[in-house]
Amino acid sequence: MADKTSEIKQSFMAELEAVNEISQLEAIKVKYLGKNGLITELMKDMKSLTPEEKKSFGQAVNVLKNEVSEIIAEKTEELKHKAILEEINKMQDFDISTPANTERGSYHPITLVQRQCEAIFKSMGFTVEEYSEVVTDYECFEALNIPKHHPARDMQDTYYLENGQLLKSHTSATQNAIYKKYKDNLVNNGVPIKAIFPGRCFRNEATDACHENTFFQMEGVMVDKNISISNLIFFMKTMLSEVFKKDIKVRLRPGFFPFVEPGFELDISCLICGGEGCPSCKHSGWLELCPCGMIHPEVLKAGEIDPEEYTGFAFGLGLTRLAMMKYGVKDIRDLNSGNLKSLSQFTDDE
Ligand code: DAH
């Protein structure tokens, strides 16, 4: 019987020699110390022994078991240490004393077009407003003439928060706050409301080359006495020719939005395919860029402005789409990808 313990020890030591990975060591541990392991099995052989033999053999098996456990524990430590050293060796190509990359970072293409648009509208006397991304149901829908259960809500698959607030599904959600902020100045001092408010919007979209669940819009409003559709068209055309630095083919179609009356879709000829049709423009040759219209009287009322006295226009420019057109980005998903290779190639050409 004593032979058996030393036999097992020998075979264990021989197998251990060949081990150089933790996984191999695990396998050996199971083979010798596992439930049906060689050493565990030895115990089962004791049944046939006399009480005297049992005592000495039991002791020998225990000694073997302890020895093997200890050796395995030591070897585990050794292998872990070795793995760390290997990692360090791999890192030797990395020279910590290399000077930092001193090249300047770059702006995201959406930031670039946003800043350009802001500059253009500021030069035309618009203020640039900031507003939060979490808004109330009232701001996002009710104040915009979209009551609860109105089918127009279906156009925007909205992310609601548990507290009843929601992630802004369009920048129009800021309109109400802007009217209230500037109405006194309009009424008491005759200063027209001219404001733009860029912002990130969220919708539960099935994503494809032209749809994303997170995108940017830039809303603009102008309210004063006698504002008409010609004012709207003038500002839109001026803005687009400034952004693209050339005359852009546009078309105006009727469009329904509960917060404007009449409402329009302003499309631009697709700059990626030149109007031929491609996946970015859903093969139509046109891209919806800027829905707009004359502000609905109910919306002005909700903003505490008298629609009998004042009129205005509003537009919701798709900033993300504008960036895609301007920089020839074919897939909207690239813009949120964080892929520096594709995102860092754009420069401000102002
Ligand atoms: N908020 C609308 C949307 O995201 C876009 C829009 C349409 C904004 C017409 C406007 C407008 O200001 O007049 O679907």
Side-chain angles (χ1 to χ4, degrees), residues 18 48 59 89 107 116 122 126 142 163 166 172 189 197-198 208 238 247 253 256 267 273 297-298 305 319 336-337 342:
S48 53
Q59 270 172 357
N89 279 340
Y107 287 110
Q116 285 161 13
K122 268 190 203 163
F126 282 72
E142 297 212 21
N163 65 5
L166 46 95
S172 310
N189 307 323
F197 20 103
D208 61 25
T238 311
D247 259 350
R253 310 177 271 127
F256 171 70
D267 300 342
C273 62
E298 288 302 322
I305 293 172
L319 265 191
N336 286 354
S337 68
S342 64

Side-chain angles (χ1 to χ4, degrees), residues 144 155-156 169-173 175 201 203 215 217 219-221 256-257 259-260 263-264 290-295 313-317:
L144 292 167
M155 295 199 292
Q156 303 184 356
S169 57
H170 54 173
T171 41
S172 310
Q175 282 193 24
C201 303
R203 284 185 209 173
F215 54 95
Q217 290 184 338
E219 190 95 355
V221 292
F256 171 70
F257 302 95
F259 34 94
V260 282
F264 305 103
C290 189
C292 50
M294 300 306 292
I295 302 167
F313 67 76
F315 61 88
L317 179 69

Side-chain angles (χ1 to χ4, degrees), residues 37-78:
L38 293 175
I39 296 175
T40 324
E41 289 291 321
L42 278 183
M43 293 290 193
K44 296 178 187 161
D45 292 346
M46 294 211 299
K47 278 182 222 141
S48 53
L49 301 179
T50 62
E52 268 307 294
E53 286 171 328
K54 261 187 196 162
K55 198 176 163 199
S56 64
F57 182 69
Q59 270 172 357
V61 173
N62 268 336
V63 168
L64 174 65
K65 196 172 158 188
N66 290 340
E67 270 178 5
V68 166
S69 303
E70 244 171 63
I71 293 171
I72 287 179
E74 275 167 22
K75 188 79 180 173
T76 307
E77 281 310 305
E78 188 189 312

Side-chain angles (χ1 to χ4, degrees), residues 13 16 25 58 90 107 123 125 130 138 165 172 183 187 201 212 272 322:
M13 293 308 285
L16 196 73
L25 193 61
K90 269 194 227 154
Y107 287 110
S123 75
E130 288 211 18
Y138 177 79
Q165 290 186 310
S172 310
K183 69 174 167 51
V187 174
C201 303
E212 248 293 15
I272 287 180
L322 188 60

Side-chain angles (χ1 to χ4, degrees), residues 214-234:
T214 306
F215 54 95
F216 287 79
Q217 290 184 338
M218 195 183 79
E219 190 95 355
V221 292
M222 177 167 181
V223 182
D224 198 3
K225 288 187 173 158
N226 301 320
I227 297 292
S228 69
I229 297 175
S230 3
N231 297 109
L232 166 67
I233 295 174
F234 168 78

Side-chain angles (χ1 to χ4, degrees), residues 36-252:
N36 300 316
L38 293 175
I39 296 175
T40 324
E41 289 291 321
L42 278 183
M43 293 290 193
K44 296 178 187 161
D45 292 346
M46 294 211 299
K47 278 182 222 141
S48 53
L49 301 179
T50 62
E52 268 307 294
E53 286 171 328
K54 261 187 196 162
K55 198 176 163 199
S56 64
F57 182 69
Q59 270 172 357
V61 173
N62 268 336
V63 168
L64 174 65
K65 196 172 158 188
N66 290 340
E67 270 178 5
V68 166
S69 303
E70 244 171 63
I71 293 171
I72 287 179
E74 275 167 22
K75 188 79 180 173
T76 307
E77 281 310 305
E78 188 189 312
L79 289 178
K80 277 189 189 162
H81 189 65
K82 199 174 125 212
I84 291 170
L85 284 180
E86 274 170 10
E87 276 303 306
I88 292 174
N89 279 340
K90 269 194 227 154
M91 282 165 60
Q92 275 184 353
D93 290 342
F94 174 74
D95 181 357
I96 206 165
S97 63
T98 309
N101 183 353
T102 49
E103 260 177 45
R104 283 200 311 159
S106 61
Y107 287 110
H108 193 282
I110 292 180
T111 308
L112 291 176
V113 287
Q114 180 178 326
R115 289 188 174 185
Q116 285 161 13
C117 292
E118 285 177 7
I120 295 163
F121 277 98
K122 268 190 203 163
S123 75
M124 296 192 283
F126 282 72
T127 58
V128 181
E129 312 286 334
E130 288 211 18
Y131 207 64
S132 81
E133 289 175 351
V134 175
V135 295
T136 60
D137 186 277
Y138 177 79
E139 292 172 306
C140 201
F141 298 121
E142 297 212 21
L144 292 167
N145 199 26
I146 313 176
K148 288 216 161 59
H149 312 301
H150 192 286
R153 290 198 178 201
D154 295 346
M155 295 199 292
Q156 303 184 356
D157 196 347
T158 309
Y159 293 113
Y160 285 87
L161 307 184
E162 275 169 10
N163 65 5
Q165 290 186 310
L166 46 95
L167 296 184
K168 181 156 83 184
S169 57
H170 54 173
T171 41
S172 310
T174 312
Q175 282 193 24
N176 190 255
I178 299 302
Y179 299 141
K180 287 177 177 160
K181 178 173 171 189
Y182 290 114
K183 69 174 167 51
D184 290 340
N185 208 15
L186 171 71
V187 174
N188 301 334
N189 307 323
V191 179
I193 301 178
K194 290 165 88 180
I196 54 165
F197 20 103
R200 200 195 312 256
C201 303
F202 309 87
R203 284 185 209 173
N204 183 19
E205 296 273 7
T207 55
D208 61 25
C210 40
H211 292 93
E212 248 293 15
N213 52 26
T214 306
F215 54 95
F216 287 79
Q217 290 184 338
M218 195 183 79
E219 190 95 355
V221 292
M222 177 167 181
V223 182
D224 198 3
K225 288 187 173 158
N226 301 320
I227 297 292
S228 69
I229 297 175
S230 3
N231 297 109
L232 166 67
I233 295 174
F234 168 78
F235 280 106
M236 291 297 95
K237 275 197 154 173
T238 311
M239 191 264 303
L240 289 175
S241 56
E242 287 283 323
V243 168
F244 290 103
K245 303 272 181 259
K246 59 174 173 179
D247 259 350
I248 295 294
K249 221 161 111 188
V250 299
R251 70 175 186 188
L252 210 56

